[in-house]
Amino acid sequence: MVCFRLFPVPGSGLVLVCLVLGAVQSYALELNLTDSGKATCLYAKWQMNFTVRYETTNKTYKTVTISDRGTVTYNGSICGDDQNGPKIAVQFGPGFSWIANFSKAASTYSIDSISFSYNTGDNTTFPDAEDKGIITVDELLAIKIPLNDLFRCNSLSTLEKNDVVQNYWDVLVQAFVQNGTVSTNEFLCDEDKTSTVAPTIHTTVPSPTTTPTPKEKPEAGTYSVNNGNDTCLLATMGLQLNITQDKVASVININPNTTHSTGSCRSHTALLRLNSSTIKYLDFVFAVKNENRFYLKEVNISMYLVNGSVFSIANNNLSYWDAPLGSSYMCNKEQTVSVSGAFQINTFDLRVQPFNVTQGKYSTAEECSADSDLNFLIPVAVGVALGFLIIVVFISYMIGRRKSRTGYQSV
């Protein structure tokens, strides 16, 4: 844990910030804001990270996770007064900032809104970005909390808007602290009230050499993306996720009955996004190559693991599921999409068509090599059987004919 004091905020005392560096890539922050009398007026401790999807100069899409940009400052954080409510303001580099606003009623206080700004002109974070500039995403929350209660939310909370996913967890916050003492009375978020245990996910014993125990074949689900009234993307597949984090290997079967699909279709790219109660997003990004074929170019995932951490991986340099435009890609056999050393996806009964869907139906399928090898063996086996049958008939005919000639000679 690295703790440091910042300069006094006008109208407030010193701000003490502790930056905790954990295994999960995130901002882990603790803030104790004091008034002019050096009494605590606002306390907050939370973890967060941000995932941003943006268009590049060559009309493809990339996804970046903003989790630790170095030095953090808190210019503009205030305890609040009769005209303005309390505010937490965080800056983590030129053009990157985060603000939370609070207000008070007779017996409650509220987390009114959250604002996140990022700078696509930063070439290190957003290489080859098509549009340059500072983009701000505002979210209205209106979370009401009893006065003199400490708000707690250990569960993962996600805000998604305009290609930006904000993840928050392990949140503790109290505005309008009474008498300079943070309350011991806790007000839980709805997610913590309804879930006393983390989601059940199959996990093996930690070991650098142990592989996860195989699970049963996942159920295949059918997903689609619409462009207006027309279906522009179809996908049918059973999905099994293989995740390794901190030497712990997990196997997770996606349940299509509790998984939702969204996405978008463009002339040269198409996106299928899946999400559920534990999966914030699982993106499959398809692209066109050579103007006549499509393929799976990119996979991005952010999900809630059994230990409460957020697992996020992105890879935009893949090459799977290649097929001609105007057709679908099909593979009934098990296939593995290797996104990274820590994340692989096993697919079963796969069929996908991200472009040129007509009347909401799949076009003729191009089969994977595993399926093609099996289909090739069937006619070969039939041919061999027919050939063997012909030989047997021919031999029987020759034997019968020879016996007939022998009989004529006896007469």
Side-chain angles (χ1 to χ4, degrees), residues 105-180:
S107 60
T108 63
Y109 68 95
S110 299
I111 307 174
D112 290 334
S113 63
I114 285 176
S115 176
F116 170 58
S117 297
Y118 59 97
N119 184 11
T120 56
D122 186 318
N123 293 326
T124 301
T125 306
F126 298 96
D128 306 318
E130 172 71 13
D131 299 319
K132 305 287 187 179
I134 296 176
I135 300 173
T136 299
V137 178
D138 296 311
E139 293 279 0
L140 299 178
L141 300 180
I143 301 174
K144 294 185 181 297
I145 306 155
L147 274 175
N148 204 34
D149 273 14
L150 177 69
F151 176 73
R152 174 187 289 275
C153 195
N154 292 329
S155 300
L156 177 69
S157 299
T158 298
L159 303 175
E160 184 173 352
K161 184 178 181 181
N162 299 342
D163 290 329
V164 175
V165 178
Q166 305 178 52
N167 295 310
Y168 302 93
W169 67 100
D170 292 343
V171 176
L172 287 172
V173 63
Q174 183 181 357
F176 304 99
V177 174
Q178 304 294 306
N179 302 319

Side-chain angles (χ1 to χ4, degrees), residues 195-359:
S195 177
T196 56
V197 295
T200 302
I201 299 176
H202 176 81
T203 306
T204 62
V205 178
S207 170
T209 57
T210 301
T211 57
T213 303
K215 299 191 76 172
E216 66 278 5
K217 178 181 175 180
E219 179 182 351
T222 297
Y223 312 98
S224 63
V225 176
N226 292 333
N227 188 2
N229 294 325
D230 299 324
T231 300
C232 60
L233 184 152
L234 284 172
T236 302
M237 50 190 171
L239 296 173
Q240 187 177 80
L241 310 183
N242 293 271
I243 296 172
T244 303
Q245 183 167 336
D246 298 330
K247 298 181 181 179
V248 177
S250 304
V251 178
I252 305 164
N253 283 352
I254 291 183
N255 182 358
N257 300 315
T258 58
T259 302
H260 307 284
S261 63
T262 57
S264 61
C265 300
R266 300 191 180 186
S267 59
H268 285 76
T269 59
L271 164 68
L272 172 63
R273 168 167 287 185
L274 306 181
N275 62 79
S276 67
S277 59
T278 56
I279 299 174
K280 298 299 109 185
Y281 60 86
L282 173 56
D283 290 350
F284 297 91
V285 182
F286 301 88
V288 173
K289 66 178 180 181
N290 302 326
E291 300 298 329
N292 61 1
R293 299 187 72 86
F294 71 83
Y295 69 106
L296 177 65
K297 183 181 187 298
E298 181 177 344
V299 170
N300 310 305
I301 189 171
S302 182
M303 69 176 296
Y304 183 26
L305 296 183
V306 68
N307 62 3
S309 65
V310 177
F311 178 81
S312 298
I313 288 288
N315 188 335
N316 63 359
N317 193 31
L318 302 176
S319 184
Y320 292 96
W321 307 351
D322 188 301
L325 281 175
S327 68
S328 59
Y329 176 86
M330 184 170 69
C331 195
N332 292 317
K333 291 288 188 178
E334 179 180 353
Q335 274 194 315
T336 299
V337 175
S338 182
V339 181
S340 72
F343 180 51
Q344 299 84 38
I345 303 175
N346 296 334
T347 63
F348 302 81
D349 301 321
L350 169 69
R351 190 168 186 180
V352 63
Q353 184 170 346
F355 300 98
N356 302 341
V357 176
T358 304
Q359 298 181 343

Side-chain angles (χ1 to χ4, degrees), residues 15-37:
V15 178
L16 175 65
V17 178
C18 296
L19 198 61
V20 182
L21 305 179
V24 180
Q25 288 295 309
S26 66
Y27 286 104
L29 304 167
E30 183 173 7
L31 180 143
N32 189 60
L33 191 62
T34 60
D35 59 21
S36 56

